[in-house]
Amino acid sequence: MQKKKLIVTPPGPFAESNTYLDYLTKLISDKQIEVKILKSVPLIIKNPNPVNILGAGISAPHTFIQEKLMNMHEDHLKDITKYFSSQGVKVDFQIGHQSPQELLQKELDGKECLMWAVEISSDYNLWNELFGTRETELAKEINLPTLCIPSQVKFENPRTLLIVSKGNQKLDEFIPVDIINSFNLDVLLMIDAEDVNIDSLKREAAFLDLKKDLDIVKAGFIDGEDSLKLFVDSSNPSWIAYHNFDKPFIERAFNMNTTNFILSAERPVLVL
């Protein structure tokens, strides 16, 4: 069996993100999973090759800054790589000026990848909720399930996954079978749609290559109370998974959206 890759967006200052790194290490330590760290460094100039100013004399300052920025990030990635290696995790990294998605396509076949992991470090405020954060933008940009882990959440072995879906796709298009099986998760699929046929979905679920049965219920209001909130409060699922559904600005101001889910998370959020 081919080892799967956990793609990791590196955290900021090392000492401030040790909980995040510890979570990832313990999550995969006894699994056949390797870590690939990808870091996209923005270009200060379009062409990072040295450019002289004043004839053949002084080098342009932006070239020097670009090189220093790249070296700084590379040193940071080497420190993180050493951390994972010291915990017995096989790891390597790639740094470049391409977008995260372009780096991923350049380095790996998507079939090798289990999911992407990113630390939730953005503040929960109205600005971030309305306009998005680096976590939500990454999840939109890449074509992989993205596990968004709150900075201060300590590791507990994940046992349950609650998937909240609009019910407008086939199950095999968004149920993360490899992730569910890799971590042996009990799964409840909650469909947030009025006209969903639960019996039809259960027949469809029988054809998924899942190690465990998939429970399916309908979201909504029972006696005036939100069934999703009731379920989360009572069962306390290890992870909650959402479709990365986008909404116009006005809808984001008045209704729940993926950004809100991530920023208010008290547990890891898996964006599908």
Side-chain angles (χ1 to χ4, degrees):
M1 178 180 175
Q2 183 184 25
K3 288 187 176 182
K4 288 283 188 175
K5 303 270 188 182
L6 173 67
I7 313 302
V8 172
T9 293
F14 190 91
E16 296 176 12
S17 296
N18 52 7
T19 304
Y20 166 66
L21 295 173
D22 180 70
Y23 190 103
L24 294 177
T25 302
K26 290 177 179 175
L27 179 65
I28 65 173
S29 61
D30 60 344
K31 307 288 190 300
Q32 294 293 305
I33 299 173
E34 301 174 357
V35 167
K36 179 76 172 185
I37 305 173
L38 294 182
K39 177 62 181 178
S40 177
V41 178
L43 273 172
I44 297 174
I45 51 174
K46 290 184 178 179
N47 183 0
N49 294 323
V51 176
N52 289 330
I53 59 175
L54 300 178
I58 305 172
S59 293
H62 50 241
T63 303
F64 172 78
I65 295 171
Q66 187 78 68
E67 184 179 342
K68 283 293 185 182
L69 182 64
M70 182 66 79
N71 290 340
M72 178 185 71
H73 282 291
E74 187 170 352
D75 289 342
H76 180 56
L77 294 183
K78 287 178 180 177
D79 285 341
I80 297 172
T81 299
K82 288 178 184 177
Y83 171 85
F84 280 120
S85 296
S86 70
Q87 304 299 313
V89 174
K90 187 173 181 181
V91 57
D92 63 353
F93 72 85
Q94 181 65 34
I95 186 171
H97 298 297
Q98 299 97 329
S99 70
Q101 177 66 11
E102 289 170 333
L103 282 176
L104 177 65
Q105 292 173 342
K106 175 183 175 183
E107 290 296 310
L108 296 166
D109 182 337
K111 294 179 181 178
E112 298 178 64
C113 306
L114 182 66
M115 60 182 174
W116 199 300
V118 60
E119 179 184 27
I120 302 175
S121 56
S122 299
D123 294 330
Y124 186 14
N125 55 48
L126 183 60
W127 179 271
N128 281 336
E129 184 172 333
L130 293 180
F131 293 98
T133 66
R134 73 185 191 98
E135 296 88 7
T136 50
E137 289 307 309
L138 175 67
K140 288 176 185 176
E141 183 179 351
I142 61 174
N143 190 28
L144 274 179
T146 305
L147 186 67
C148 303
I149 304 170
S151 294
Q152 301 307 315
V153 168
K154 294 183 179 179
F155 179 78
E156 290 185 7
N157 192 38
R159 301 185 183 280
T160 53
L161 172 66
L162 170 63
I163 302 175
V164 183
S165 171
K166 303 300 286 185
N168 54 359
Q169 289 178 280
K170 292 183 177 179
L171 294 187
D172 61 3
E173 293 177 350
F174 71 88
I175 297 295
V177 173
D178 283 349
I179 295 172
I180 293 167
N181 288 342
S182 292
F183 301 106
N184 198 32
L185 298 171
D186 293 318
V187 183
L188 174 69
L189 173 61
M190 185 170 280
I191 302 294
D192 185 12
E194 289 294 328
D195 57 352
V196 65
N197 186 319
I198 297 293
D199 291 334
S200 176
L201 287 176
K202 287 182 177 178
R203 289 192 294 271
E204 195 178 331
F207 292 96
L208 297 175
D209 189 22
L210 290 169
K211 293 179 180 178
K212 295 185 175 183
D213 291 336
L214 180 70
D215 292 326
I216 305 174
V217 298
K218 186 185 292 187
F221 290 85
I222 302 172
D223 297 328
E225 294 194 71
D226 185 348
S227 59
L228 172 58
K229 184 177 186 305
L230 288 172
F231 181 83
V232 171
D233 290 344
S234 62
S235 65
N236 191 28
S238 304
W239 295 351
I240 300 181
Y242 296 97
H243 278 307
N244 191 17
F245 54 92
D246 203 1
K247 292 187 176 184
F249 178 86
I250 296 299
E251 282 196 56
R252 291 201 300 272
F254 294 99
N255 297 303
M256 292 289 285
N257 59 82
T258 314
T259 307
N260 180 290
F261 292 146
I262 291 176
L263 290 174
S264 61
E266 297 177 358
R267 73 203 79 219
V269 172
L270 183 64
V271 184
L272 301 172

